[in-house]
Amino acid sequence: MNSPPSPAPHTSSPANGPQAATQGPLSAPHSPADRPGFPPLGAVSAPPHTAWTAQELMGMEFPTPRWAVPGVICEGVTLLAGPPKVGKSWMSLGLALDIAAGRPAFGRITTEPGSVLYLALEDTPRRLKSRMEIALGDRPAPAGLTLSIACPPMPSGGDVQVAEWLESHPDARLVVIDVFAKVRGTPAPGVSAYDADYAAMARIKRVADHYGVAVVLVHHVRKAAAEDFLATVSGTNGLAGAADAVLVLERARAQADGVLHVTGRDVDETDYPLAFDPGAGAWSLLDGNAADYQMRDTRSLVIRYLRDYPGRRPKEIAEALRLDAGTVRQTCRRMQNDGQLRANAGGAYWAADSPGSGDTSDSSDIHATEPVSLLSLRHSDPADLGEHQ
């Protein structure tokens, strides 16, 4: 597949960018990418002014932020993270198709049509076409979507390639880079991991800010669980810190329901309950509170885990299943109240229908075994995934 077209580099800020407002004189910006050891950012020129007096700033008018998906993805850089095979690529491709066609995102959220660039850097043309056929169904492919399976690393001209495509598509609303690791580049010797991560984000962020367009970077999460979903993002805090917004997608293996955690500078911190339809390769927004769906899925996972590994405490269960420890504690208490679990005085739990009594067993006598992970649940029978009530 050919790379996106490459027109001549632009020479001025477009009217829809954040630099369109009247601004006062100021100094050039400083960032980790401008320090020695980093090549210069050359995709777009630095903004002409970067600071003002308070009176000057209050007297300025700025264009309304442009949303690719209102309430979820705004202009700027958004990091979309999640475990492998959780459905990040299906989500990003679905958003690209919907926005290019002006269809509702997640089946519910109204979007404005615009050109979209989708860099599917882990796909072959055959696989990409196959996924599009599933996602589109009987609908025609939108003319506003450009797809590419190749892009150089950001330090080697990737930011220039994206900027050139945006220059030739002034109606662009979204750029997706799947996955960001493919264009991250190799840090210079002696550069700290934090500065390297921040610099990797700085290049594409400058492009996104210059054109006032939403750029979604598909990324991975750590294997270790964490109560704060931001702490699960792979890499240093430089990635999440440089991003304008962070989305973390969570879905247990063999579960249809998932949760999209959202936080950022221009978006409200929210958890969206979602459902995945593998037959259509589509994520859809569900009604109600995300916590309700998380509780249901958590109950299913906890009771099945305790049947295989009885006598475990909530912290051990949470670590094995990569779930929030507080959610697991609350779920275990509620399941005990509902008669689904038994517990002993030491705080260990057993499935109520498993042999033995959790009320009298000593958890210290339980033979230590390797904690199961969500990966072991991938071959589960979907009929067993409902809440046992």
Side-chain angles (χ1 to χ4, degrees):
M1 184 176 293
N2 295 328
S3 298
S6 301
H10 71 280
T11 58
S12 61
S13 290
N16 63 359
Q19 304 304 326
T22 302
Q23 301 175 358
L26 229 298
S27 59
H30 297 282
S31 71
D34 296 324
R35 295 206 290 265
F38 292 93
L41 300 176
V44 297
S45 58
H49 309 109
T50 59
W52 311 263
T53 67
Q55 290 180 334
E56 288 173 337
L57 188 59
M58 292 303 296
M60 293 166 58
E61 293 185 3
F62 295 92
T64 302
R66 302 175 69 219
W67 291 87
V69 180
V72 182
I73 300 175
C74 190
E75 65 177 56
V77 175
T78 294
L79 204 61
L80 170 59
K85 314 303 182 187
V86 75
K88 303 185 299 295
S89 292
W90 282 114
M91 178 176 289
S92 56
L93 177 61
L95 292 174
L97 290 167
D98 289 340
I99 292 170
R103 291 169 47 86
F106 301 118
R108 301 275 293 275
I109 304 176
T110 302
T111 65
E112 294 186 22
S115 293
V116 177
L117 173 62
Y118 185 82
L119 300 178
L121 304 180
E122 291 188 324
D123 280 321
T124 63
R126 176 192 58 78
R127 189 183 305 121
L128 187 56
K129 179 184 177 183
S130 176
R131 288 173 53 221
M132 288 184 62
E133 287 175 341
I134 294 173
L136 285 169
D138 297 330
R139 295 179 284 118
L145 175 59
T146 299
L147 303 109
S148 177
I149 61 169
C151 182
M154 290 294 133
S156 302
D159 54 343
V160 176
Q161 177 171 305
V162 173
E164 289 176 344
W165 184 87
L166 289 170
E167 188 71 19
S168 65
H169 294 79
D171 67 327
R173 300 199 73 85
L174 179 67
V175 174
V176 176
I177 301 179
D178 184 8
V179 294
F180 183 54
K182 289 285 187 178
V183 297
R184 198 171 183 175
T186 303
V191 175
S192 71
Y194 178 93
D195 279 355
D197 282 344
Y198 199 97
M201 296 287 288
R203 288 181 174 275
I204 194 62
K205 178 167 170 52
R206 180 174 288 187
V207 175
D209 291 347
H210 182 82
Y211 288 95
V213 69
V215 176
V216 172
L217 308 177
V218 180
H219 192 52
H220 297 299
V221 294
R222 307 175 191 272
K223 292 182 179 179
E227 294 195 18
D228 183 356
F229 69 88
L230 279 178
T232 66
V233 176
S234 181
T236 71
N237 290 334
L239 291 179
D244 295 295
V246 178
L247 314 182
V248 175
L249 178 62
E250 292 184 348
R251 177 171 68 98
R253 300 293 177 187
Q255 294 278 351
D257 294 342
V259 175
L260 185 65
H261 303 284
V262 179
T263 190
R265 300 185 178 105
D266 293 316
V267 298
D268 295 330
E269 186 163 318
T270 312
D271 292 338
Y272 290 97
L274 301 172
F276 182 67
D277 179 0
W283 285 95
S284 58
L285 188 64
L286 298 172
D287 291 321
N289 193 306
D292 297 337
Y293 295 93
Q294 284 180 299
M295 186 68 70
R296 184 187 69 184
D297 291 345
T298 301
R299 287 195 181 206
S300 174
L301 292 171
V302 166
I303 200 165
R304 289 168 55 226
Y305 174 77
L306 287 175
R307 285 179 181 141
D308 292 333
Y309 300 90
R312 299 304 174 98
R313 296 180 175 86
K315 181 179 179 181
E316 297 171 303
I317 300 171
E319 290 175 349
L321 299 179
R322 293 174 58 188
L323 297 172
D324 177 75
T327 299
V328 171
R329 284 193 298 271
Q330 182 181 23
T331 301
C332 287
R333 286 195 298 268
R334 292 185 179 183
M335 293 178 72
Q336 182 183 6
N337 293 337
D338 292 341
Q340 296 174 322
L341 298 181
R342 304 179 196 176
N344 68 2
Y349 286 89
W350 284 256
D353 55 2
S354 62
S357 172
D359 296 325
T360 59
S361 299
D362 183 354
S363 63
S364 63
D365 294 332
I366 301 298
H367 179 67
T369 54
E370 182 69 21
V372 72
S373 72
L374 289 179
L375 295 177
S376 67
L377 304 179
R378 68 174 63 187
H379 300 299
S380 303
D381 184 354
D384 293 332
L385 297 179
E387 192 170 341
H388 299 271
Q389 292 192 38

